[in-house]
Amino acid sequence: MTKVALIGASGQAGSRILQELSDRGHHVTAIARHPDKIAALPNVTAQRGDVADGGALAALLRGHDAVVSSVHFSVTDPAALIGAVRASGVQRYLVVGGAGSLEVAPGVRLIDSPDFPEAYRAEASAGAAFLDLLRGETELEWTFLSPSAMFVAGERTGVFRLGKDTLLTNDGGSSISFEDYAIALVDEIERPAHVRQRFTVGY
């Protein structure tokens, strides 16, 4: 079992990752601005934390085997968050990424496609910038896991595909449930296969 610090543990993706980690017997420090919204689960300790307070966050992260961040990119300072992880001394860092920076054709990102929804542009752009910053990071053993275009509540099926930098699609479009995404991310914690890489998961 592993000691994992999960930032954003009360969110849509974060709560499913928390459930998956708990179900597999990992010990989790679940961090959120409102810890009362964190589910009470076995081996889970809820803690109040704010990504805007780098010093306090680094102290919360210290002593864990891995850190996972599941936060909105558009309201986060990526340099400060990555800096807090680095300052904590934890080397393994996994990021809940976005689909916008995935390619839909050689050299063409989803965010650059003509029908990309304007409502998601700011978040997708910030996610792409976060990934660019990570790609220059040499101290941390980071992994950026991008979901498919439709990232929604659904079923935990355990049946999905993994890819690298290209958006995964099928006849029904491009999608992944929060529940199956959580499986792929916790698999990566348990059996690292994409260190200092981005990969993607979809149906």
Short mmCIF file of all heavy atoms in Angstrom, two decimals, residues 154-183:
data_model
loop_
_atom_site.label_atom_id
_atom_site.label_comp_id
_atom_site.label_asym_id
_atom_site.label_seq_id
_atom_site.Cartn_x
_atom_site.Cartn_y
_atom_site.Cartn_z
N GLY A 154 -20.28 8.18 -14.73
CA GLY A 154 -20.76 6.99 -15.45
C GLY A 154 -20.51 5.73 -14.66
O GLY A 154 -20.65 5.71 -13.45
N GLU A 155 -20.11 4.71 -15.38
CA GLU A 155 -19.92 3.39 -14.78
C GLU A 155 -18.44 3.08 -14.60
O GLU A 155 -17.60 3.58 -15.34
CB GLU A 155 -20.52 2.33 -15.72
CG GLU A 155 -21.97 2.54 -16.04
CD GLU A 155 -22.89 1.71 -15.17
OE1 GLU A 155 -22.42 0.67 -14.66
OE2 GLU A 155 -24.03 2.13 -14.97
N ARG A 156 -18.16 2.24 -13.60
CA ARG A 156 -16.81 1.70 -13.44
C ARG A 156 -16.79 0.35 -14.16
O ARG A 156 -17.19 -0.66 -13.61
CB ARG A 156 -16.47 1.53 -11.96
CG ARG A 156 -15.03 1.09 -11.70
CD ARG A 156 -14.82 0.70 -10.25
NE ARG A 156 -13.42 0.41 -9.95
CZ ARG A 156 -12.82 -0.74 -10.22
NH1 ARG A 156 -13.48 -1.73 -10.82
NH2 ARG A 156 -11.53 -0.91 -9.92
N THR A 157 -16.34 0.35 -15.41
CA THR A 157 -16.37 -0.87 -16.22
C THR A 157 -15.03 -1.59 -16.24
O THR A 157 -14.97 -2.81 -16.42
CB THR A 157 -16.76 -0.56 -17.68
OG1 THR A 157 -15.68 0.16 -18.31
CG2 THR A 157 -18.03 0.27 -17.75
N GLY A 158 -13.93 -0.83 -16.09
CA GLY A 158 -12.60 -1.43 -16.20
C GLY A 158 -12.21 -1.75 -17.63
O GLY A 158 -11.15 -2.34 -17.87
N VAL A 159 -13.04 -1.35 -18.59
CA VAL A 159 -12.76 -1.61 -20.00
C VAL A 159 -12.55 -0.28 -20.72
O VAL A 159 -13.49 0.50 -20.89
CB VAL A 159 -13.93 -2.38 -20.67
CG1 VAL A 159 -13.61 -2.64 -22.14
CG2 VAL A 159 -14.21 -3.68 -19.93
N PHE A 160 -11.31 -0.01 -21.10
CA PHE A 160 -10.96 1.25 -21.75
C PHE A 160 -9.66 1.08 -22.50
O PHE A 160 -8.99 0.05 -22.38
CB PHE A 160 -10.85 2.39 -20.73
CG PHE A 160 -10.02 2.06 -19.51
CD1 PHE A 160 -8.63 2.08 -19.56
CD2 PHE A 160 -10.62 1.70 -18.32
CE1 PHE A 160 -7.86 1.78 -18.46
CE2 PHE A 160 -9.85 1.38 -17.19
CZ PHE A 160 -8.47 1.42 -17.26
N ARG A 161 -9.30 2.09 -23.28
CA ARG A 161 -8.04 2.07 -24.02
C ARG A 161 -7.13 3.17 -23.51
O ARG A 161 -7.59 4.19 -23.00
CB ARG A 161 -8.30 2.32 -25.51
CG ARG A 161 -9.10 1.23 -26.20
CD ARG A 161 -9.31 1.57 -27.67
NE ARG A 161 -10.15 2.73 -27.85
CZ ARG A 161 -10.07 3.59 -28.87
NH1 ARG A 161 -9.14 3.42 -29.80
NH2 ARG A 161 -10.91 4.60 -28.98
N LEU A 162 -5.82 2.96 -23.66
CA LEU A 162 -4.83 3.98 -23.34
C LEU A 162 -4.16 4.45 -24.63
O LEU A 162 -3.98 3.68 -25.56
CB LEU A 162 -3.77 3.43 -22.38
CG LEU A 162 -4.25 2.90 -21.03
CD1 LEU A 162 -3.05 2.42 -20.22
CD2 LEU A 162 -5.05 3.95 -20.27
N GLY A 163 -3.81 5.72 -24.67
CA GLY A 163 -3.08 6.28 -25.80
C GLY A 163 -2.02 7.23 -25.30
O GLY A 163 -1.77 7.33 -24.10
N LYS A 164 -1.42 7.96 -26.23
CA LYS A 164 -0.35 8.88 -25.83
C LYS A 164 -0.76 10.34 -26.01
O LYS A 164 -1.24 10.97 -25.09
CB LYS A 164 0.93 8.55 -26.59
CG LYS A 164 2.15 9.30 -26.04
CD LYS A 164 3.43 8.61 -26.37
CE LYS A 164 4.67 9.39 -25.99
NZ LYS A 164 4.59 10.30 -24.86
N ASP A 165 -0.60 10.88 -27.21
CA ASP A 165 -0.87 12.30 -27.42
C ASP A 165 -2.04 12.55 -28.36
O ASP A 165 -2.34 13.70 -28.69
CB ASP A 165 0.38 13.00 -27.97
CG ASP A 165 1.50 13.06 -26.94
OD1 ASP A 165 1.21 13.49 -25.81
OD2 ASP A 165 2.64 12.68 -27.25
N THR A 166 -2.71 11.49 -28.81
CA THR A 166 -3.81 11.63 -29.77
C THR A 166 -5.13 11.34 -29.09
O THR A 166 -5.25 10.37 -28.33
CB THR A 166 -3.61 10.65 -30.96
OG1 THR A 166 -2.35 10.94 -31.57
CG2 THR A 166 -4.70 10.82 -31.98
N LEU A 167 -6.14 12.18 -29.35
CA LEU A 167 -7.47 11.99 -28.79
C LEU A 167 -8.03 10.63 -29.21
O LEU A 167 -8.05 10.29 -30.39
CB LEU A 167 -8.40 13.11 -29.28
CG LEU A 167 -9.81 13.12 -28.70
CD1 LEU A 167 -9.79 13.58 -27.25
CD2 LEU A 167 -10.73 14.02 -29.53
N LEU A 168 -8.47 9.85 -28.22
CA LEU A 168 -9.07 8.55 -28.51
C LEU A 168 -10.55 8.73 -28.85
O LEU A 168 -11.29 9.40 -28.12
CB LEU A 168 -8.94 7.62 -27.30
CG LEU A 168 -7.51 7.22 -26.92
CD1 LEU A 168 -7.51 6.45 -25.60
CD2 LEU A 168 -6.86 6.39 -28.02
N THR A 169 -10.98 8.13 -29.95
CA THR A 169 -12.38 8.23 -30.37
C THR A 169 -12.91 6.85 -30.76
O THR A 169 -12.14 5.93 -31.04
CB THR A 169 -12.55 9.18 -31.57
OG1 THR A 169 -11.78 8.67 -32.68
CG2 THR A 169 -12.07 10.59 -31.24
N ASN A 170 -14.23 6.74 -30.79
CA ASN A 170 -14.88 5.55 -31.33
C ASN A 170 -16.15 6.00 -32.05
O ASN A 170 -16.36 7.22 -32.22
CB ASN A 170 -15.17 4.52 -30.23
CG ASN A 170 -16.07 5.07 -29.13
OD1 ASN A 170 -16.87 5.99 -29.36
ND2 ASN A 170 -15.95 4.52 -27.92
N ASP A 171 -16.99 5.08 -32.44
CA ASP A 171 -18.19 5.44 -33.19
C ASP A 171 -19.12 6.35 -32.39
O ASP A 171 -19.92 7.09 -32.97
CB ASP A 171 -18.96 4.18 -33.61
CG ASP A 171 -18.20 3.38 -34.66
OD1 ASP A 171 -17.27 3.95 -35.29
OD2 ASP A 171 -18.51 2.19 -34.85
N GLY A 172 -19.01 6.30 -31.06
CA GLY A 172 -19.85 7.14 -30.21
C GLY A 172 -19.25 8.47 -29.86
O GLY A 172 -19.83 9.25 -29.09
N GLY A 173 -18.06 8.76 -30.36
CA GLY A 173 -17.38 10.01 -30.06
C GLY A 173 -16.11 9.78 -29.25
O GLY A 173 -15.35 8.85 -29.52
N SER A 174 -15.90 10.62 -28.26
CA SER A 174 -14.69 10.54 -27.43
C SER A 174 -15.11 10.75 -25.98
O SER A 174 -15.51 11.86 -25.61
CB SER A 174 -13.67 11.60 -27.85
OG SER A 174 -12.57 11.62 -26.97
N SER A 175 -15.02 9.70 -25.17
CA SER A 175 -15.49 9.84 -23.80
C SER A 175 -14.78 8.87 -22.86
O SER A 175 -14.20 7.87 -23.28
CB SER A 175 -17.01 9.59 -23.72
OG SER A 175 -17.30 8.23 -24.02
N ILE A 176 -14.86 9.21 -21.56
CA ILE A 176 -14.40 8.33 -20.49
C ILE A 176 -15.16 8.73 -19.22
O ILE A 176 -15.43 9.92 -19.00
CB ILE A 176 -12.86 8.42 -20.25
CG1 ILE A 176 -12.38 7.34 -19.27
CG2 ILE A 176 -12.45 9.81 -19.77
CD1 ILE A 176 -12.43 5.94 -19.81
N SER A 177 -15.54 7.77 -18.42
CA SER A 177 -16.21 8.09 -17.16
C SER A 177 -15.17 8.47 -16.11
O SER A 177 -14.00 8.06 -16.18
CB SER A 177 -17.03 6.90 -16.67
OG SER A 177 -16.18 5.84 -16.24
N PHE A 178 -15.60 9.26 -15.13
CA PHE A 178 -14.72 9.57 -14.00
C PHE A 178 -14.25 8.28 -13.34
O PHE A 178 -13.10 8.17 -12.89
CB PHE A 178 -15.45 10.43 -12.97
CG PHE A 178 -15.85 11.80 -13.44
CD1 PHE A 178 -17.16 12.22 -13.33
CD2 PHE A 178 -14.92 12.68 -13.98
CE1 PHE A 178 -17.54 13.49 -13.74
CE2 PHE A 178 -15.29 13.95 -14.40
CZ PHE A 178 -16.62 14.36 -14.28
N GLU A 179 -15.15 7.31 -13.26
CA GLU A 179 -14.87 6.06 -12.55
C GLU A 179 -13.77 5.25 -13.26
O GLU A 179 -12.85 4.74 -12.60
CB GLU A 179 -16.16 5.25 -12.44
CG GLU A 179 -17.19 5.84 -11.50
CD GLU A 179 -18.01 7.00 -12.08
OE1 GLU A 179 -17.82 7.35 -13.26
OE2 GLU A 179 -18.84 7.56 -11.35
N ASP A 180 -13.85 5.13 -14.59
CA ASP A 180 -12.82 4.38 -15.32
C ASP A 180 -11.52 5.17 -15.41
O ASP A 180 -10.43 4.58 -15.39
CB ASP A 180 -13.33 3.99 -16.71
CG ASP A 180 -14.19 2.74 -16.67
OD1 ASP A 180 -14.10 1.97 -15.69
OD2 ASP A 180 -14.97 2.53 -17.62
N TYR A 181 -11.63 6.49 -15.50
CA TYR A 181 -10.42 7.32 -15.46
C TYR A 181 -9.66 7.05 -14.16
O TYR A 181 -8.43 6.92 -14.16
CB TYR A 181 -10.82 8.80 -15.55
CG TYR A 181 -9.64 9.75 -15.44
CD1 TYR A 181 -9.03 10.27 -16.59
CD2 TYR A 181 -9.12 10.12 -14.20
CE1 TYR A 181 -7.94 11.13 -16.49
CE2 TYR A 181 -8.04 10.96 -14.10
CZ TYR A 181 -7.45 11.47 -15.24
OH TYR A 181 -6.36 12.31 -15.14
N ALA A 182 -10.38 6.97 -13.05
CA ALA A 182 -9.74 6.74 -11.75
C ALA A 182 -8.98 5.42 -11.74
O ALA A 182 -7.88 5.33 -11.15
CB ALA A 182 -10.79 6.76 -10.64
N ILE A 183 -9.53 4.40 -12.39
CA ILE A 183 -8.81 3.12 -12.48
C ILE A 183 -7.47 3.32 -13.17
O ILE A 183 -6.43 2.85 -12.69
CB ILE A 183 -9.64 2.07 -13.25
CG1 ILE A 183 -10.93 1.73 -12.51
CG2 ILE A 183 -8.81 0.80 -13.47
CD1 ILE A 183 -11.85 0.79 -13.30
#
